[in-house]
Amino acid sequence: NAGVTQTPKFQVLKTGQSMTLQCAQDMNHNSMYWYRQDPGMGLRLIYYSASEGTTDKGEVPNGYNVSRLNKREFSLRLESAAPSQTSVYFCASSEWMRSWDEQFFGPGTRLTVL
Amino acid sequence: GQQVMQIPQYQHVQEGEDFTTYCNSSTTLSNIQWYKQRPGGHPVFLIQLVKSGEVKKQKRLTFQFGEAKKNSSLHITATQTTDVGTYFCADKNRDDKIIFGKGTRLHILP
């Protein structure tokens, strides 16, 4: 099992460009999450999908959109990238968010916006 | 809103010394989770504490949940170089908001 996979691993964008970060899990988990990690700030939840067909805002949703494509896949879209979105993005999944199960994280995408 | 604070932010210890990181919340914690992130890596789940006053051990790691469920700690006995990394605590409140502490970065001096 691959666990949680993310593509791409690295990306450089210019201000105003758009891109989609892809995430997939093969653990049959119901809940999936997108976090960003900035130096000294820990992990901050951007959006989550508690179950297939639902998405909700986390702590820092502005400038992002998400799509829960199916049970396996959860994508994060930046419509018009800004330098403040330079960060490391982690996707995670868990069996059920409601029961606060352990989260499994992907390897991350390192995004730089110039 | 809820704040989860971790102290210290950084800790340098000699190999073989003990290490402790503390997680404090402005409100009552539901169930606290602890994660470890190696440099350049991704967070990896260590443990979840559920009950007030709970103590759990994993080899050299001891996790405690405060009696009032407003704080938690992770203690590492006799640190090794493999313990290097950042340790995070996390909580999920009743509004389904997941809050991570900012982490404690552990450096081991040989």
Side-chain angles (χ1 to χ4, degrees), chain A residues 40-54:
Chain A
M41 292 297 293
L43 290 148
R44 292 184 292 171
L45 185 63
I46 305 171
Y47 270 94
Y48 64 95
S49 172
S51 59
E52 187 180 358
T54 69

Side-chain angles (χ1 to χ4, degrees), chain A residues 33 35 37 40-43 45 48 57-59 90 97-108 110, chain B residues 9 30-33 35 37 40-45 48 88 90-92 95-102:
Chain A
Y33 316 82
Y35 291 91
Q37 184 174 37
M41 292 297 293
L43 290 148
L45 185 63
Y48 64 95
K57 296 178 180 179
E59 184 184 353
F90 288 102
M97 183 185 190
R98 180 67 55 181
S99 51
W100 193 208
D101 296 319
E102 68 175 280
Q103 297 178 76
F104 294 81
F105 284 80
R110 280 147 183 81
Chain B
Q9 191 175 0
S30 57
N31 300 334
I32 195 85
Q33 292 184 351
Y35 290 81
Q37 184 177 23
H42 58 274
V44 175
F45 176 83
Q48 177 165 282
F88 295 97
D91 185 40
K92 183 173 78 74
D95 297 326
D96 278 348
K97 298 305 180 189
I98 296 175
I99 305 292
F100 273 77
K102 294 183 179 180

